[in-house]
């Protein structure tokens, strides 16, 4: 079986922009995407994040995230009509019905303030970030919705990458294969992840410490809820770049316990950290248990 690139044929032609001269690690980060049926017509639609540049753009030329409506095999750009053309330096996104109104909503992680779009059910979205209390202003990368306390409302975990500043100077030389490159993530300050508990009224409370998810800061890249121990409660994997991965087991009492080392997913088989980029749960051998796949940086094997 072979796959054929059909992006241009089906109408997915928007270029991705991320920096200009690649002087900083932010410029080397590309965005994410999510399939979800935003208009409930039975066809999955596509949201694609885009980047930005420290150099800025002329008026009207700033890149924006795109929402493509699936019209039976071809995609139509409905970004402007839907009101989801975020012009931040976006990194990733996650879709879920956070307010239980039957319409899938959208959360976008950014280098800067994240954005929560509430699906109004009319083909349009509203930016409710401030009202919902989920506008973390760090460098968000991966995000995942999951009902960790099984109260019927999905909660939200946001992985943050680097506490970045243009003025910060790395205390170590920035080399890759003995070639001078932009610094990071090693040599830069790691950022703290954030967990939000859904209050059930359209708002969230920052609940990182209370849930037992506050600990050492790492370079977070991806987060994903999944019940790896089959106890009926969602657990959480956080894939980190150049630092140990984290696996949080749900204790069923509103708290998590970190068990990545004992579960064998914190480090490589050689016991060293890897540049983890993303993670996915799936039962590849059909034994009823979630397996885990993690992608890693160049010259490192995936696991």
């Amino acid at each position: 079986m072979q796959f054929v690139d059909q992006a241009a044929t089906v109408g997915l032609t928007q270029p991705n922009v991320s920096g200009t001269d690649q002087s900083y690690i932010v410029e080397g980060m590309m965005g994410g995407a999510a399939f979800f049926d935003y208009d409930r017509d039975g066809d999955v639609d596509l949201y694609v994040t885009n980047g930005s540049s420290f150099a800025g753009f002329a008026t009207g030329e700033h890149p924006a995230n795109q929402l493509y409506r699936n019209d039976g095999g071809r995609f139509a750009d409905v970004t402007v009509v839907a009101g989801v053309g975020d012009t931040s330096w976006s990194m990733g996104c996650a879709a879920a019905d956070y307010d239980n109104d039957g319409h899938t909503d959208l959360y976008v992680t950014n280098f800067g303030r994240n954005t929560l779009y509430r699906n109004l059910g009319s083909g349009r979205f509203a930016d409710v970030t401030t009202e919902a209390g989920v506008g973390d202003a760090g460098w968000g990368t991966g995000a995942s919705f999951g009902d960790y306390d099984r109260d019927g409302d999905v909660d939200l975990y946001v992985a943050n990458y680097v506490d970045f500043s243009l003025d910060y100077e790395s205390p170590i030389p920035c080399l890759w294969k003995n070639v001078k490159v932009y610094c990071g993530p090693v040599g830069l300050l790691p950022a703290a992840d954030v967990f939000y508990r859904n209050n059930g009224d359209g708002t969230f409370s920052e609940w990182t410490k209370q849930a037992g998810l506050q600990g050492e800061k790492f370079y977070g890249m991806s987060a994903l809820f999944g019940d790896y121990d089959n106890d009926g409660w969602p657990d959480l994997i956080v894939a980190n770049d150049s630092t140990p991965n984290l696996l949080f087991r749900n204790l069923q009492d509103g708290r998590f316990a970190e068990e990545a080392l004992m579960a064998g997913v914190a480090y490589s088989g050689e016991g060293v950290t890897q540049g983890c980029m993303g993670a996915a749960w799936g039962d590849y051998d059909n034994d009823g248990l979630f397996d885990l796949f993690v992608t890693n940086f160049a010259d490192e094997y995936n696991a």
Side-chain angles (χ1 to χ4, degrees):
M1 179 182 292
Q2 288 185 319
F3 288 89
V4 178
D5 184 355
Q6 294 288 302
T9 303
V10 299
L12 304 175
T13 58
Q14 177 70 22
N16 187 283
V17 176
S18 189
T20 52
D21 56 5
Q22 301 294 299
S23 296
Y24 302 97
I25 189 172
V26 180
E27 298 175 297
M29 300 285 282
M30 305 300 287
F35 280 107
F36 67 108
D37 185 9
Y38 89 97
D39 53 2
R40 302 202 306 179
D41 66 352
D43 298 315
V44 289
D45 311 295
L46 176 64
Y47 189 78
V48 182
T49 64
N50 214 325
S52 187
S53 171
F54 291 119
F57 296 90
T59 302
E61 296 183 5
H62 198 294
N65 299 345
Q66 305 288 319
L67 176 63
Y68 295 98
R69 186 185 66 221
N70 189 334
D71 288 338
R74 285 192 57 84
F75 289 89
D77 186 346
V78 295
T79 309
V80 175
V81 173
V84 290
D86 197 326
T87 57
S88 304
W89 205 319
S90 296
M91 296 286 150
C93 53
D97 182 12
Y98 83 93
D99 55 357
N100 283 337
D101 66 352
H103 301 284
T104 305
D105 310 296
L106 180 67
Y107 188 75
V108 181
T109 57
N110 297 312
F111 171 57
R113 175 184 177 271
N114 299 331
T115 306
L116 176 63
Y117 292 106
R118 179 173 175 260
N119 191 331
L120 301 178
S122 59
R124 290 190 54 80
F125 291 76
D127 182 345
V128 296
T129 312
T130 301
E131 303 94 294
V134 291
D136 184 64
W139 180 351
T141 48
S144 182
F145 285 102
D147 186 8
Y148 99 105
D149 51 5
R150 302 203 311 184
D151 64 352
D153 301 304
V154 290
D155 310 294
L156 175 64
Y157 188 93
V158 180
N160 282 317
Y161 192 48
V162 171
D163 186 3
F164 183 80
S165 169
L166 292 175
D167 300 325
Y168 182 80
E169 295 186 8
S170 172
I172 61 175
C174 300
L175 303 173
W176 190 64
K177 295 185 176 181
N178 292 320
V179 176
K180 186 176 181 180
V181 295
Y182 55 65
C183 294
V186 177
L188 301 181
L189 301 175
D193 296 349
V194 182
F195 177 64
Y196 298 102
R197 182 174 60 84
N198 193 325
N199 297 322
D201 59 0
T203 69
F204 292 78
S205 294
E206 197 276 307
W207 212 250
T208 316
K209 182 177 180 180
Q210 294 92 323
L213 296 169
Q214 187 178 64
E216 186 176 353
K217 298 177 183 179
F218 293 129
Y219 304 118
M221 286 293 289
S222 177
L224 194 62
F225 282 101
D227 182 14
Y228 83 94
D229 55 1
N230 256 8
D231 65 355
W233 292 76
D235 310 297
L236 178 69
I237 180 72
V238 182
N240 294 313
D241 186 0
S242 306
T243 44
N245 297 325
L246 301 170
L247 179 63
F248 294 104
R249 182 171 63 86
N250 196 322
L251 300 179
Q252 307 178 21
D253 62 358
R255 297 177 301 118
F256 291 88
E258 205 289 299
E259 299 186 351
L261 181 61
M262 296 303 295
V265 298
Y267 302 95
S268 71
E270 290 73 36
V272 298
T273 58
Q274 294 179 289
C276 296
M277 301 286 110
W281 295 110
D283 182 10
Y284 91 97
D285 53 0
N286 289 324
D287 65 353
L289 299 172
F290 263 151
D291 308 296
L292 177 65
F293 186 75
V294 177
T295 57
N296 295 311
F297 192 61
D299 297 337
E300 297 179 342
Y301 60 83
N302 299 327

